Amino acid sequence: MRPVVHVVGGGPGDPELLTVKGARLLGEARFVLYTGSLFPEGALRALAPKAALLDSKGMTLEEIVLALAEEAQKGGGVVRLHSGDPGLYGTLLEEKEALEALGVGVEVVPGVTAAFALAARAGLSLTAPGVAQAVAFTRLGVRTPVPEGQDPKSLARKGLTLAVYLSGMHPRRLSRELLEAGLPGDTPVLYGHKVAQPGEEVGLTDLKGLAHLPARDTTVYLVGEALRAKGVRSLLYDPSFKHRYRR
């Protein structure tokens, strides 16, 4: 069998939001490569008591891949721990491609992303019947450009719920662009700083209020009318709605 690296989604920070599989793999791991800027070593040590830990925050992609490949060749459990879900705003693609080129297999374990943890903290839904039936994950183009038509301003015109990542340092710009897109100033905005981590701050404001929030990294925003929907009801559980399980 070829060596394998497990890429595990660590969730937003709360160890209880890890999947059972992710927690098991960490508990069994001999080596864990993690991002120290997002996962405190003290918290990780309790999850991976037998593992040698290596912080990747100062490493290049080449150094990360080399370390993972070398450890995988030694055998035993090797985990690359990503924050949130590995498939969203992470380095899954480039790490997987480089590892597989070296003959190392990659198995991915999904994780809870911050937008879902934030909505859960507030007890709000990202979709609502007749209001919003689509959610878009997006970001402002700052140092990393965003493809045309996929930025928050373009997507806002479609009336869906926006989950805006990697834009916490630019609340005023985000507010301005969404207002320019035609969203009303009272459009609800749910914001979360360090969601499910020590020092968490969660609050509800609107697009006008967004401009006055502090600029802080590791902040995610949810924007859209679904956040204040009331009195809506799904057809699935309506007495008049027939389906194969209820006649």
Side-chain angles (χ1 to χ4, degrees):
M1 294 178 64
R2 67 174 177 169
V4 172
V5 170
H6 285 94
V7 178
V8 174
D14 183 346
E16 293 188 338
L17 292 179
L18 268 169
T19 64
V20 173
K21 185 172 184 178
R24 175 179 63 79
L25 289 170
L26 284 170
E28 297 171 351
R30 181 186 58 76
F31 176 82
V32 176
L33 183 64
Y34 72 106
T35 307
S37 58
L38 298 170
F39 288 94
E41 182 176 342
L44 181 56
R45 174 52 63 200
L47 295 168
K50 301 182 292 185
L53 305 180
L54 180 61
D55 187 348
S56 69
K57 69 174 179 287
M59 300 171 69
T60 65
L61 173 65
E62 290 73 16
E63 291 170 335
I64 288 170
V65 170
L66 181 60
L68 290 171
E70 288 181 345
E71 293 297 332
Q73 295 288 350
K74 297 176 185 178
V78 176
V79 171
R80 171 57 165 137
L81 185 63
H82 281 258
S83 62
D85 182 86
L88 188 63
Y89 298 120
T91 55
L92 171 63
L93 289 180
E94 51 260 52
E95 290 177 9
K96 182 175 184 289
E97 186 177 61
L99 285 167
E100 289 179 341
L102 295 173
V104 178
V106 175
E107 295 184 8
V108 182
V109 179
V112 175
T113 190
F116 296 151
L118 174 58
R121 278 284 195 266
L124 297 175
S125 176
L126 300 182
T127 60
V131 180
Q133 290 289 282
V135 180
F137 294 87
T138 183
R139 58 173 291 175
L140 289 172
V142 187
R143 296 180 64 183
T144 302
V146 175
E148 184 178 354
Q150 297 180 28
D151 58 287
K153 185 175 182 178
S154 298
L155 292 169
R157 298 188 177 100
K158 300 181 183 299
L160 37 67
T161 302
L162 298 179
V164 186
Y165 282 59
L166 302 171
S167 306
M169 296 301 294
H170 306 279
R172 183 174 297 182
R173 176 186 162 189
L174 179 60
S175 172
R176 182 183 71 250
E177 292 193 8
L178 294 180
L179 289 170
E180 289 174 354
L183 292 185
D186 67 348
T187 301
V189 177
L190 181 66
Y191 62 91
H193 175 63
K194 293 187 175 181
V195 180
Q197 301 176 35
E200 172 192 77
E201 182 180 332
V202 172
L204 188 63
T205 184
D206 57 24
L207 275 186
K208 291 181 179 178
L210 171 61
H212 303 289
L213 293 179
R216 293 181 294 187
D217 210 353
T218 62
T219 299
V220 63
Y221 307 103
L222 299 176
V223 184
E225 291 297 331
L227 300 178
R228 64 177 169 194
K230 295 183 183 299
V232 296
R233 181 168 175 168
S234 169
L235 283 177
L236 181 61
Y237 298 110
D238 190 289
S240 65
F241 190 70
K242 308 301 182 183
H243 54 74
R244 59 181 175 148
Y245 296 110
R246 187 183 69 237
R247 301 187 185 279

